[in-house]
Amino acid sequence: MTPRSSITSLRGGAIGAIGAADLDEKTTLAQETAIRWFGRTLSLRSPLDAPVPERPGRPDKPVLIPPTLVERRSLHTVKGRIALLHAIAHIELNAVDLALDIVARFATEPVPNSFFDGWMQVAFEEAKHFRMVRARLKDLGADYGDLPAHDGLWQAAHSTRNDLTARLAVVPLILEARGLDVTPSLQAKMRETGDFESAAVLDVIYNDEKGHVAIGAKWFRFLCVRERRDPARTFHELVRANFRGPLKPPFNDIARAEAGLTPSFYRSLTSTSNA
């Protein structure tokens, strides 16, 4: 069965992509499902849809280890840049599955179809990012799976699997927003080392991620308004209930504000705050 013929609905295509252990199949299914959904040739749900997987499909490698055991290396060496790109590839792969999981897991929520438009756009672009980073790794003589990685991103999202508002708080507004904070310095360091090809990949990721955080902020506010809840206060409550540890500065306030995430959301949740 080809990836295209296995797509029974938007939810079915998302579920198929989440469950795919072959990463070329996963990214192809994610993007094909998005294209067909944007073309309005898919229904939202189908009785033929499989159950939503508890965990995404993965190849045998990379080996997953605790975050504290992931080795840090200098970007002034090729091995160090490979290690960073490998870590980014792992983040982007998880981001593909997390965007698809929002669609599949919450396909019965009473939200407009434009909600699913937004998250399939995210899934499409995260698949693009993973492919770009993997191609750059191959340029450097490496591949995704060559180094160990950690499971922190998926674990951080798992506790919000039954609460859409909490999922939006944790995934786009914490995990993806963190990318806006750290990526500019990584871009600069790549350029300092003369690795302009890797910096160009990070440029694409950074610009797209602003849109992903904006989609998260838009729908988080939408749900809060519908439930007559204050967005910033609700964010604080959900983060404290569903995310371990404080948020870590420094923050890219300008990029966060462009995405609709103002300091009232995150400043009081840092380790230096008494709030």
Side-chain angles (χ1 to χ4, degrees):
M1 182 178 288
T2 65
R4 185 181 182 89
S5 63
S6 67
I7 301 172
T8 55
S9 67
L10 175 64
R11 180 174 62 180
I15 288 168
I18 295 168
D22 180 285
L23 302 184
D24 290 329
E25 180 185 357
K26 182 187 292 289
T27 52
T28 297
L29 267 172
Q31 293 192 325
E32 181 63 30
T33 301
I35 290 168
R36 291 183 61 185
W37 172 252
F38 297 149
R40 295 297 186 255
T41 62
L42 287 177
S43 62
L44 177 59
R45 302 183 299 272
S46 165
L48 301 176
D49 297 341
V52 180
E54 282 302 300
R55 291 191 57 81
R58 288 286 184 271
D60 293 337
K61 291 183 177 182
V63 175
L64 297 179
I65 60 176
T68 54
L69 297 181
V70 177
E71 184 180 352
R72 295 177 180 271
R73 298 174 180 171
S74 168
L75 295 185
H76 290 281
T77 67
V78 174
K79 285 186 176 179
R81 294 197 292 279
I82 286 172
L84 174 65
L85 290 167
H86 192 278
I88 293 172
H90 188 65
I91 290 168
E92 298 301 323
L93 178 60
N94 275 277
V96 175
D97 286 315
L98 287 169
L100 294 167
D101 189 77
I102 287 178
V103 170
R105 195 169 297 278
F106 300 104
T108 57
E109 289 282 324
V111 291
N113 277 354
S114 54
F115 173 88
F116 302 104
D117 293 346
W119 291 110
M120 289 311 297
Q121 182 68 32
V122 173
F124 186 97
E125 291 175 351
E126 302 290 17
K128 175 186 70 176
H129 298 167
F130 175 76
R131 287 174 169 170
M132 291 176 68
V133 179
R134 190 177 191 185
R136 182 61 190 144
L137 280 170
K138 290 179 178 179
D139 290 343
L140 296 173
D143 196 5
Y144 178 69
D146 287 353
L147 299 173
H150 68 80
D151 201 31
L153 286 174
W154 190 262
Q155 291 174 355
H158 189 66
S159 65
T160 61
R161 63 193 181 279
N162 297 317
D163 184 336
L164 177 56
T165 310
R167 172 62 66 88
L168 294 175
V170 169
V171 175
L173 303 189
I174 293 181
L175 300 179
E176 291 223 48
R178 184 64 181 155
L180 301 184
D181 302 331
V182 302
T183 303
S185 65
L186 296 177
Q187 291 167 302
K189 288 176 182 176
M190 286 292 191
R191 291 191 179 96
E192 285 174 13
T193 66
D195 191 343
F196 296 103
E197 294 85 357
S198 295
V201 172
L202 293 179
D203 287 344
V204 174
I205 292 174
Y206 178 67
N207 288 318
D208 286 348
E209 297 293 352
K210 288 181 187 178
H212 300 175
V213 177
I215 289 167
K218 169 187 173 179
W219 291 108
F220 182 82
R221 291 177 187 277
F222 171 87
L223 293 175
C224 287
V225 168
R226 189 169 70 181
E227 296 164 11
R228 298 185 179 180
R229 302 165 74 183
D230 176 79
R233 187 179 302 119
T234 302
F235 180 72
H236 298 162
E237 293 168 356
L238 292 172
V239 171
R240 289 181 174 125
N242 295 284
F243 189 77
R244 294 179 181 177
L247 305 191
K248 298 176 181 179
F251 300 111
N252 187 340
D253 291 324
I254 294 175
R256 282 170 171 254
E258 288 174 352
L261 195 58
T262 54
S264 62
F265 274 75
Y266 54 88
R267 283 290 178 186
S268 66
L269 294 170
T270 66
S271 56
T272 57
S273 171
N274 294 321

